[in-house]
Structure formats: structure tokens, C-alpha cells
Amino acid sequence: RSQILAGKTPSSRSWKLANKLVFSKIRAGMGGNVETFISGGAPLGRELAEWYADAGIRIHEGYGLTETSPVIALNKPANHRIGTVGKIMPNLEVRIAEDGEILVKGPSVFKGYWNRPEETKTALSDGWFKTGDIGNIDADGYLSVTDRKKDLIKTSGGKYIAPQPIENSLKLNPLVGTAAILGDRRKFPAALVSPNFVALESWARENNIPFHTRAELIAHPEVRALYEGLIEGINANLARFEKIKRVLLVADEFTAENGALTPTMKLRRRVIEERYRRQIDELYTQAEMTTTQA
């Protein structure tokens, strides 16, 4: 992987064999002759970037907004660090506010919203555009974007949790369709999961799990245990205050058509939390009762 990320072709016999049997076919499926892959618009996710790198595909992740015309940072062939969105474009200045928000200034940053003076005043401060994203810049100048500021979860204990990296890790599992991390003003984080029902129903048939409806399927003890096991795997890589304590399975698929996702497939977090408010409240109430009884 390190050789791929450095722009080189691995020389080990094991990689050459894997390349002949598998990796070359993956690259052929993506056009075969593509020299540069660039990712933007949504977080790529470190795990996904590493998977592609193992297959011989180095993806140059970048970052920007319409208001910044649009690129702020980009990984380049000569300067590439996986897990970041690259170094800042030379015509821009970027700094991190005290609350972690990414601020940007430069000639490619817009001057304001057309006929929207109040929104312009909110978005700009002394020429610095408030991106609404949380991030950091490492010692070598590589920018990392953690999450949207408005999406940060603050537990009742005062800890801030960035949900997107956790959700992206969950979605890598083929049994997970969409995941939303809960926990704002609550004692602990939980995960609301809309399963990939094609994969889950296939697993259920292979394991002789009887069901007639999706609601019956997600209520089955073995299915619940299956997803709790997935959560445990994710928890192994999380800080103590980030660890997911409960999982709520729902029988619905999340789509742009039903309002759960945006047209660009981003999670409508507030819509989902409101739609499942009763189930979420019950989950936390039951957890409180269990803790009290213990």
C-alpha cells in the first residue's frame, strides 16, 4: 500500500500475483487506462481509500465548496497523504477557529450571497469564509475534515462526537445500508441502522431464520445479535466516549425519494431523528432502566 500511495508499483511477489488474479480486473472495470482518480463532494473514508490503494488505485481526495470556487485543498501526485484532503491551494489561506471550524480566505472565495445580506454577514467575518466544516491541519500542512459543524453530537457529559467517520465505517459492511449515529444531549451514543435488506435477507435464508416481513426480520434475536456484533467491531477503534452502546434497527430503506437522504445521498440527520423519535426515546429509556436495575 505504501508504495502505491507513493506513486510506485509494488514489487513483492505476493502483490504481483494478487494483481494478476484480482487487482488488474478491478482496475479494468474502472476503465483500465485511467491515470488519476480524484474524489470530492463527500468524505471518501480512510478504509475505502486504503482498499483502493491495496488494489493499486491511488485516489486523490480533495475538498471545497461552491462558495470557494470550489477547491480549497487537494492531494496531488507529489504531495499525497491518505486520510486527509491534501494541502491548501497556494492562492488561499486556511485557519482553524477555536471551535474547530475551517475558515478560508483568498481571491477564489465568494463575496456574498446574491440579495441575501443577513446570510452573507453570517458566512463571512473580516474576509474569512466560515465553511461550516470541522477539521485540523497537521504539522506538514495537510488538511483533514472531520465533520459538518451542525452535525457534531454533544453528549450530556459534554463530549463532542463526529458522527460521519463512524457512519462511514459502518457502511463499509455489506449488511449495512445506511447508519445514523445518535446521542445529542444523551448520556451515550447509539446507532440507528437501516440494513441492506438484500444482503440481510440472503443471510437469513442461509441461516434458516424465519420471517415474513422486514419488521419480523429485524426483530429476530439472531439478527439483532448480528448487528450488535458489527457494532462491537467498530467500537474497538473508538475512544471510550465514542463507543456505541445500543443499536436500533429500522425496517425502512433510506432514499432521496422518501426524504431520508439528500439528492447527493447525504444523510438528512434531523429528518431521520424526527421520523424515529418514538423508537429513539424508547431505546434510551430502556437503557436507563437497565442501568438503574443493575
Side-chain angles (χ1 to χ4, degrees):
R1 180 189 302 166
S2 60
Q3 290 177 295
I4 294 294
L5 295 175
K8 302 176 182 178
T9 301
S11 56
S12 69
R13 293 179 62 183
S14 59
W15 191 90
K16 288 181 177 180
L17 178 60
N19 182 55
K20 182 177 181 180
L21 297 176
V22 180
F23 297 159
S24 60
K25 294 178 175 62
I26 294 173
R27 295 196 302 275
M30 295 186 172
N33 296 318
V34 180
E35 294 184 4
T36 304
F37 291 82
I38 298 177
S39 171
L44 175 61
R46 187 182 184 95
E47 295 98 333
L48 196 57
E50 290 175 345
W51 186 90
Y52 277 106
D54 288 339
I57 298 172
R58 180 170 59 158
I59 298 179
H60 303 280
E61 187 173 7
Y63 165 69
L65 299 88
T66 301
E67 291 90 340
T68 59
S69 303
V71 182
I72 294 174
L74 179 66
N75 276 293
K76 301 176 182 178
N79 297 295
H80 187 283
R81 179 160 295 175
I82 196 168
T84 77
V85 293
K87 291 192 172 184
I88 313 301
M89 300 299 285
N91 65 315
L92 294 175
E93 296 178 70
V94 169
R95 65 182 177 89
I96 308 299
E98 289 186 7
D99 62 0
E101 184 172 9
I102 300 170
L103 309 179
V104 58
K105 177 191 284 189
S108 59
V109 176
F110 81 142
K111 302 302 180 183
Y113 296 107
W114 179 254
N115 288 335
R116 294 183 178 180
E118 291 303 316
E119 289 185 26
T120 298
K121 185 178 179 180
T122 300
L124 294 166
S125 178
D126 296 327
W128 290 95
F129 170 59
K130 303 173 184 177
T131 64
D133 291 311
I134 300 294
N136 59 77
I137 303 172
D138 68 18
D140 296 319
Y142 288 91
L143 175 66
S144 295
V145 182
T146 307
D147 216 317
R148 290 292 293 169
K149 184 177 179 180
K150 65 180 181 181
D151 286 344
L152 286 181
I153 292 171
K154 185 179 182 181
T155 66
S156 60
K159 295 290 188 179
Y160 282 97
I161 298 172
Q164 279 193 23
I166 304 174
E167 291 162 353
N168 289 337
S169 294
L170 279 168
K171 287 188 292 185
L172 286 176
N173 192 292
L175 289 167
V176 176
T178 310
I181 301 303
L182 313 168
D184 197 46
R185 298 185 298 277
R186 308 275 192 174
K187 288 187 177 181
F188 59 84
L192 186 153
V193 175
S194 168
N196 176 348
F197 282 101
V198 173
L200 178 57
E201 289 168 7
S202 176
W203 178 90
R205 285 189 290 269
E206 290 173 2
N207 288 273
N208 299 314
I209 305 295
F211 68 94
H212 295 93
T213 66
R214 288 180 173 178
E216 288 183 5
L217 179 59
I218 63 171
H220 195 282
E222 290 188 41
V223 172
R224 295 185 60 81
L226 174 67
Y227 283 88
E228 288 168 359
L230 299 183
I231 294 298
E232 284 305 310
I234 296 297
N235 279 342
N237 298 314
L238 298 179
R240 183 176 179 181
F241 67 89
E242 294 177 312
K243 292 185 185 300
I244 302 165
K245 300 294 179 61
R246 295 288 190 279
V247 58
L248 173 62
L249 299 178
V250 297
D252 308 308
E253 292 185 84
F254 294 167
T255 66
E257 288 72 22
N258 64 26
L261 304 177
T262 69
T264 54
M265 307 309 288
K266 295 183 178 68
L267 202 65
R268 292 190 186 276
R269 196 174 307 279
R270 306 309 173 206
V271 171
I272 291 171
E273 289 179 357
E274 188 58 37
R275 185 174 296 174
Y276 299 100
R277 175 61 56 196
R278 180 180 59 80
Q279 295 97 312
I280 293 170
D281 287 343
E282 287 178 357
L283 178 144
Y284 279 98
T285 298
Q286 290 172 2
E288 284 287 331
M289 292 174 62
T290 302
T291 302
T292 302
Q293 291 170 359

